[in-house]
Amino acid sequence: MSDIPSANILYIEDDLGLAELVRIKLKREGYHVVHAESGCQGMTLLRDRNFDAVLIDFYLPDMNGLEVLKAIQALPRKTTCIMISGIDDMQLVVDAIKQGAEDFVLKDSEGAYLELLPTTLGKVLLKQRLIAEKAAAELEKNNNEAFYRSLIEHTHVVAWEYLPNAGRFSYVSSQAEKLTGHSREEWTSDGFWQASLHPEDYTKVSAFCASKTHIQDEQGLEFRLLKKDGNEIWLRQIVSVVETSAEHCTVLRGFLIDITESKQAMEKQRLAELVFDTIHEGIMITDTHNRIEVVNPAFTKITGYSFAEVRGQNPRIFGSGLQDANFYSALWQSLNEHGHWEGELWNRHKNGEMYAQSTSISYVHDEVGNIKRHIAVFGDVTEKKQAEEKIHYQANYDQLTALPNRQLFQDRLHSAVASAKRNHTQLALLFIDLDRFKEVNDSAGHEAGDRLLMQVAKRLNECIRETDTLARLGGDEFIVILNNLSSNHDIENIARSMLEVLERPFSLADGIDAAISASIGIAIYPADGEDGALLIRHADAAMYRVKETGRNGFEFFTAEMNREAGKRQQFKSAFKDSLEKGEFKVFFQPVWRLCDGKIMGVEALSRWQHPEWGMVMPDDFIPVAEESGFIHDLSLFVVKEVANQIQVWDEQAFNEISVAINLSPTQFRRLDDWLTQMHQVLSDHAISPHRIKLEITETALMGDTLKLMETLSHVQASGIGISLDDFETGFSSLSRISGMPLNFIKIDKSFVSQIGQQGQCNVIEAIISMSHSMDCQVIAEGIETEEQREYLKQLGCDFGQGFLCSRPVPAEDLLTLLQKGFLFD
């Protein structure tokens, strides 16, 4: 038993002689024996000291051996026990072993058991030592596993075990849940690997895991996994061990490392390089001495220089010379004080052309704060600046005439008034409105109207000084600021020169010529107002006075004009309300046959019977009605009144009477719509269209000839007659109206009033002759004397109209004339 280390043995025996024999025997075998005479004494020793083994005699004075065994098993420290008894009882042996004894020694009378006891004790102690060594080894193993497991659990590394045949993980460390949000149960469940792999990486990862080439070689693969929240995480898979299980199945073990941050850093670097190479802005990096180190492709595209041509150069080689030394001094001051500068530079392209660039320059410092680099980022903004200039031009200048528009005019007027106030000088505002421009525009078309406006702008510009401003407010309205005037005489001279240049004929192409005039209203600072808005309003009022007194002239503002301007505004505000209240009336003026004086038709004329203003004549309100657009409602009202009156006449058997309705040139733009409404009215009243004639002015014939003929032919085809009013007072020529689908031509009263004067008779005779050659009947307006009636009758004029017969009268008065039948005997 020499291989058994010395052990402390407790022997509980009440026989002192026998106890001594055992002690001597065991001492020879290398054991140290302590004797206890009773069970209680033995338990006391066990509580105080450590023993490797306890020998227990079954018969003791205070308790038997089984009771001692039970008490020992209850102690916190476990001790190996051997039961000794002189009773050869198998049940006792079984009970002792069950109670915790490692072995049982039977006493014999010859003392042979003394020789057996050391051997038994040695075996038991050896067994216990082996068990202890094994337990220690297991503990060390478990401690090592716990250490490495703890190491893994506290890093970003995921330890894993994968079963390729099953297509799932059999184990993952807890870090897997921390990194991905998926629990261990999810990781080790069927289908997790396939469902969580990024779709683009699934094939290569599956092939990698299924490969048999990993044996003894550590392999790596980078791929993306979808986290619980749907975001991506980059992992590197390392297979360190490939084994075959007892069931001959392949088992892969290894680690997954989170490489998301490094991937993101690489991606940022890649993107930075991509941006550097593809960005449309030029990038230039210079060293501490401002020598070019790096440029990007956009730099070459913008400047025309390659990197090889500018490397090591100072950026001043791009200088255009348009910025002076003060500009660059301010630039460097901003860089030195703030580390940054932004602004626009004008540089020179390699081909010599100037270009504008929007530039941002920044300093880059090293770890200790010294300037290490300059980074300039710039873009070519030449086109942008040109676009801005274009936008500025479009916002401030009239696109048609290139004159300042209303916005720029307002700015200049504000500055002009401020300057005049500061310097105690006068300025004049000339409000110019073209006479009868709308008639030209409506009849000849917008293109002809635009050409007329451009020519007008050019002529007016020739009449003013460089210090003055000519602007177009819109439509046919122009306005002039005359600065630093010494007298009204200067204003008059300029106004007269404008009227003169506008009286010259305008060629509008396509065989269209127009002779227009202008009405000019004049307001003076400070006499007529000390702010721009008031001056404009007063100049506008003076212009309207010119319109009302015959046009083609100029007027200085007076207080009376201001009242008239207010009246026009009142007209505009009162139109609709007055129409609804029935304040508008339709009067009728007879048209008679010159050969016998029989009334053949009438002309419908509108009148405004206002409760405060009294009878307002058409010359006062028709221009305002056309300007405001009210003319369309008024014209439709006239049609309805005419239809009602025709029904009344028909009841009196005057069913041959036709009615002429005046059509404003502005209505030609909505002629189709207006005709539709008129035909609807006639249909509602069961009136034939042949009872209606439309009177149009010469300016209505200035448009597209083919389109005009098509329109008038359509009107005639519906049964409506067409009468050309005020012939030879407008812009048409005999050749232009020949072939037009006309039924009547009216001689203007200005010609009739001059009958008897030399030269005028020839004009009337020519009109009548030409009209008859066109199968048109002639109506002479403004017949006031018997001499005029007789003369026109002799020339073959068909019809007459004027005060000689009757003024325009209400419908009830006209009925008396119709009942009379013939106006002359």
Side-chain angles (χ1 to χ4, degrees):
M1 298 299 296
S2 59
D3 58 334
I4 303 298
S6 177
N8 292 321
I9 307 299
L10 173 63
Y11 184 26
I12 304 175
E13 172 68 62
D14 59 341
D15 186 337
L16 298 179
L18 186 57
E20 181 62 20
L21 290 174
V22 170
R23 184 187 69 78
I24 293 172
K25 180 63 178 178
L26 293 179
K27 183 178 179 181
R28 292 175 183 170
E29 298 293 333
Y31 295 103
H32 175 69
V33 180
V34 176
H35 176 244
E37 296 181 9
S38 66
C40 289
Q41 185 182 7
M43 293 304 298
T44 300
L45 290 171
L46 281 170
R47 292 187 184 97
D48 295 336
R49 297 171 59 181
N50 291 329
F51 293 95
D52 295 308
V54 179
L55 302 176
I56 307 170
D57 185 57
F58 180 76
Y59 290 106
L60 296 172
D62 52 352
M63 60 181 72
N64 63 39
L66 293 177
E67 292 174 337
V68 174
L69 278 174
K70 184 176 181 181
I72 292 174
Q73 294 303 318
L75 292 175
R77 184 172 54 250
K78 303 300 180 184
T79 305
T80 300
C81 298
I82 299 175
M83 180 69 74
I84 301 175
S85 175
I87 302 173
D88 186 6
D89 184 352
M90 182 57 64
Q91 184 60 45
L92 177 62
V93 174
V94 172
D95 291 341
I97 298 299
K98 287 183 177 180
Q99 198 65 45
E102 287 291 333
D103 209 339
F104 189 95
V105 177
L106 182 63
K107 291 181 181 179
D108 60 338
S109 57
E110 291 82 12
Y113 78 95
L114 291 176
E115 297 296 327
L116 180 61
L117 186 61
T119 302
T120 302
L121 184 60
K123 291 180 179 179
V124 169
L125 290 177
L126 177 60
K127 176 182 177 182
Q128 291 302 107
R129 189 186 75 179
L130 293 176
I131 291 174
E133 289 177 353
K134 180 179 180 182
E138 288 291 334
L139 179 62
E140 182 178 4
K141 176 184 176 183
N142 291 338
N143 287 340
N144 288 337
E145 288 181 354
F147 171 74
Y148 289 112
R149 188 179 299 276
S150 175
L151 183 65
I152 291 173
E153 298 294 349
H154 290 84
T155 64
H156 292 300
V157 176
V158 177
W160 55 268
E161 182 177 87
Y162 184 75
L163 306 176
N165 293 341
R168 66 177 181 85
F169 289 95
S170 57
Y171 164 79
V172 291
S173 61
S174 62
Q175 191 63 31
E177 182 172 358
K178 295 178 183 178
L179 287 180
T180 67
H182 296 290
S183 66
R184 288 184 177 183
E185 289 74 15
E186 290 173 316
W187 271 85
T188 55
S189 63
D190 292 335
F192 169 80
W193 190 232
Q194 293 86 342
S196 299
L197 282 171
H198 192 284
E200 295 178 4
D201 297 337
Y202 174 78
T203 301
K204 68 178 181 181
V205 175
S206 297
F208 180 87
C209 291
S211 174
K212 304 297 183 181
T213 61
H214 304 303
I215 298 175
Q216 303 304 323
D217 294 324
E218 185 176 273
Q219 301 290 334
L221 178 68
E222 295 178 356
F223 62 93
R224 288 162 292 177
L225 189 74
L226 300 180
K227 297 170 65 175
K228 188 83 169 182
D229 59 11
N231 293 321
E232 298 175 0
I233 183 173
W234 275 97
L235 299 172
R236 178 180 291 119
Q237 175 173 282
I238 299 177
V239 180
S240 299
V241 179
V242 182
E243 295 181 350
T244 302
S245 67
E247 293 78 13
H248 304 289
C249 295
T250 301
V251 179
L252 302 181
R253 296 187 181 93
F255 302 95
L256 293 175
I257 302 174
D258 181 5
I259 59 171
T260 305
E261 290 186 3
S262 63
K263 274 288 185 179
Q264 290 173 343
M266 291 173 62
E267 180 64 14
K268 287 181 180 179
Q269 177 66 25
R270 188 188 70 81
L271 287 176
E273 294 174 356
L274 181 64
V275 169
F276 186 83
D277 290 337
T278 61
I279 190 173
H280 293 298
E281 281 72 28
I283 300 176
M284 176 180 67
I285 302 176
T286 62
D287 61 16
T288 54
H289 301 290
N290 206 28
R291 293 175 299 208
I292 298 174
E293 287 188 328
V294 180
V295 299
N296 70 338
F299 169 94
T300 299
K301 184 177 181 180
I302 294 173
T303 68
Y305 289 95
S306 67
F307 177 50
E309 292 173 310
V310 300
R311 185 173 186 176
Q313 299 284 338
N314 190 292
R316 68 170 62 98
I317 64 173
F318 311 119
S320 65
L322 298 179
Q323 285 100 11
D324 57 17
N326 292 332
F327 174 86
Y328 287 103
S329 176
L331 184 156
W332 284 107
Q333 181 179 353
S334 176
L335 277 172
N336 292 328
E337 292 179 357
H338 308 292
H340 184 73
W341 178 86
E342 283 189 13
E344 287 187 357
L345 288 170
W346 277 96
N347 279 342
R348 188 184 300 276
H349 192 275
K350 182 181 178 181
N351 63 15
E353 294 179 358
M354 303 290 189
Y355 65 93
Q357 66 177 50
S358 176
T359 308
S360 173
I361 305 175
S362 300
Y363 279 155
V364 178
H365 299 84
D366 60 17
E367 295 79 2
V368 296
N370 296 321
I371 297 173
K372 187 177 181 181
R373 298 284 189 278
H374 310 99
I375 299 179
V377 180
F378 59 92
D380 187 346
V381 294
T382 307
E383 291 185 0
K384 178 183 177 183
K385 289 188 70 66
Q386 291 172 344
E388 289 174 350
E389 291 174 358
K390 182 178 180 180
I391 291 172
H392 178 269
Y393 180 85
Q394 292 174 340
N396 292 279
Y397 288 88
D398 177 54
Q399 302 303 301
L400 180 63
T401 63
L403 295 177
N405 62 11
R406 185 183 294 272
Q407 177 173 308
L408 182 55
F409 161 75
Q410 293 284 4
D411 292 342
R412 291 193 180 179
L413 178 59
H414 179 77
S415 299
V417 170
S419 176
K421 184 176 183 179
R422 185 170 55 252
N423 299 318
H424 305 287
T425 58
Q426 281 194 129
L427 70 82
L429 208 61
L430 277 62
F431 200 112
I432 305 168
D433 187 272
L434 303 183
D435 299 330
R436 304 182 75 175
F437 169 77
K438 289 183 179 179
E439 298 175 3
V440 177
N441 198 48
D442 293 340
S443 57
H446 291 297
E447 291 186 5
D450 289 347
R451 286 192 289 268
L452 177 58
L453 290 172
M454 289 188 285
Q455 293 180 42
V456 167
K458 184 177 180 181
R459 294 187 190 184
L460 290 177
N461 220 17
E462 295 171 353
C463 301
I464 63 174
R465 304 161 299 177
E466 290 185 1
T467 56
D468 301 326
T469 295
L470 168 64
R472 181 187 176 210
L473 296 185
D476 61 340
E477 293 180 343
F478 296 83
I479 198 161
V480 176
I481 304 172
L482 301 179
N483 295 296
N484 300 319
L485 296 170
S486 58
S487 68
N488 288 359
H489 182 68
D490 295 335
I491 303 172
E492 293 176 4
N493 287 338
I494 293 175
R496 286 193 182 94
S497 66
M498 289 179 173
L499 294 175
E500 289 174 2
V501 298
L502 295 181
E503 285 178 349
R504 300 199 303 265
F506 290 86
S507 176
L508 305 182
D510 298 328
I512 302 174
D513 292 330
I516 65 167
S517 60
S519 298
I520 304 175
I522 304 170
I524 300 174
Y525 172 88
D528 299 327
E530 295 189 2
D531 66 80
L534 193 57
L535 289 172
I536 294 173
R537 190 161 66 248
H538 288 169
D540 180 61
M543 182 273 294
Y544 268 103
R545 168 59 68 87
V546 180
K547 291 280 189 186
E548 294 168 352
T549 56
R551 307 181 182 181
N552 191 24
F554 64 86
E555 286 276 0
F556 286 88
F557 171 77
T558 64
E560 176 63 25
M561 295 175 184
N562 205 24
R563 289 190 290 271
E564 292 176 356
K567 188 175 182 181
R568 285 194 302 274
Q569 186 59 44
Q570 287 179 320
F571 281 178
K572 292 180 181 180
S573 302
F575 277 150
K576 183 176 181 181
D577 188 52
S578 292
L579 188 60
E580 292 175 351
K581 290 180 178 179
E583 295 172 3
F584 280 92
K585 307 294 182 183
V586 176
F587 280 35
F588 300 91
Q589 187 175 30
V591 176
W592 71 90
R593 195 162 53 198
L594 282 175
C595 64
D596 57 8
K598 183 179 180 180
I599 298 176
M600 302 302 296
V602 294
E603 180 180 359
L605 301 165
S606 57
R607 297 288 187 269
W608 186 3
Q609 184 64 50
H610 194 275
E612 296 181 14
W613 307 326
M615 183 65 74
V616 184
M617 301 304 288
D619 288 346
D620 293 325
F621 68 80
I622 289 297
V624 184
E626 291 179 339
E627 179 183 326
S628 64
F630 176 73
I631 191 68
H632 301 289
D633 294 332
L634 180 59
S635 181
L636 190 60
F637 163 76
V638 171
V639 171
K640 292 177 181 178
E641 288 297 302
V642 166
N644 291 330
Q645 202 57 48
I646 289 177
Q647 285 184 327
V648 174
W649 295 334
D650 287 351
E651 292 174 359
Q652 300 292 325
F654 299 115
N655 48 20
E656 294 182 0
I657 300 299
S658 64
V659 183
I661 299 175
N662 289 284
L663 195 63
S664 168
T666 60
Q667 292 178 269
F668 251 73
R669 284 175 292 181
R670 292 172 51 182
L671 185 59
D672 291 341
D673 180 54
W674 188 87
L675 286 172
T676 299
Q677 291 178 303
M678 187 190 71
H679 280 293
Q680 184 62 50
V681 172
L682 296 179
S683 176
D684 292 342
H685 290 76
I687 295 173
S688 173
H690 81 271
R691 301 287 293 277
I692 302 297
K693 293 198 300 288
L694 296 183
E695 289 198 1
I696 61 175
T697 60
E698 281 191 71
T699 52
L701 305 180
M702 292 187 59
D704 185 328
T705 302
L706 293 178
K707 183 178 181 181
L708 181 62
M709 291 183 68
E710 180 182 351
T711 300
L712 296 179
S713 297
H714 175 70
V715 173
Q716 276 189 338
S718 70
I720 297 174
I722 301 172
S723 177
L724 179 62
D725 195 12
D726 300 335
F727 182 63
E728 280 295 311
T729 63
F731 317 120
S732 297
S733 63
L734 294 176
S735 61
R736 180 163 180 77
I737 68 170
S738 62
M740 286 287 181
L742 302 172
N743 300 101
F744 301 89
I745 293 179
K746 299 183 76 171
I747 301 174
D748 188 70
K749 61 183 178 180
S750 62
F751 296 107
V752 174
S753 65
Q754 298 179 37
I755 288 177
Q757 297 181 20
Q758 186 177 2
Q760 293 303 323
C761 297
N762 294 334
V763 174
I764 294 174
E765 185 176 359
I767 294 174
I768 294 173
S769 176
M770 183 273 298
S771 300
H772 287 164
S773 69
M774 294 172 54
D775 292 329
C776 291
Q777 294 179 302
V778 182
I779 303 172
E781 292 184 304
I783 301 176
E784 298 182 359
T785 68
E786 284 289 345
E787 178 186 3
Q788 293 169 348
R789 179 175 73 91
E790 189 61 31
Y791 180 78
L792 290 166
K793 180 179 177 181
Q794 292 176 4
L795 289 179
C797 183
D798 302 291
F799 303 100
Q801 184 178 355
F803 291 175
L804 179 62
C805 171
S806 173
R807 292 175 178 273
V809 295
E812 54 270 21
D813 294 342
L814 178 65
L815 186 58
T816 302
L817 294 175
L818 292 176
Q819 290 171 344
K820 182 178 179 182
F822 292 88
L823 300 178
F824 306 100
D825 297 330

